[in-house]
Amino acid sequence: MSFRYGILGEFADRLEELGVSSRYEHPKTGGHGFGLGTETEAEGWTDRAVAFWDELMKEKMV
């Protein structure tokens, strides 16, 4: 699902180059303001965001 797109994709690429943990998703459908993305390619983005946050917090605790 994830692919680089426009200025945000460039920003995500730069974060990666700098070793900054990040996740970037740009679903082909849904656009901005799609809410939870129910029944779209973005469905589950909130769960993925929380999982990413949990990963970061675990890294910080070590």
Side-chain angles (χ1 to χ4, degrees):
M1 172 187 344
S2 296
F3 64 98
R4 303 295 193 209
Y5 179 78
I7 192 72
L8 290 178
E10 292 172 21
F11 182 69
D13 287 342
R14 186 67 179 132
L15 289 174
E16 186 176 319
E17 289 170 11
L18 295 170
V20 176
S21 296
S22 66
R23 298 292 182 275
Y24 173 70
E25 293 185 11
H26 187 274
K28 294 177 185 176
T29 59
H32 188 271
F34 52 79
L36 297 177
T38 305
E39 297 182 15
T40 72
E41 186 180 5
E43 188 165 0
W45 76 266
T46 53
D47 293 331
R48 292 188 298 279
V50 169
F52 173 67
W53 182 258
D54 286 342
E55 283 178 37
L56 290 179
M57 292 301 98
K58 286 177 185 172
E59 289 175 12
K60 300 290 182 191
M61 301 301 279
V62 175

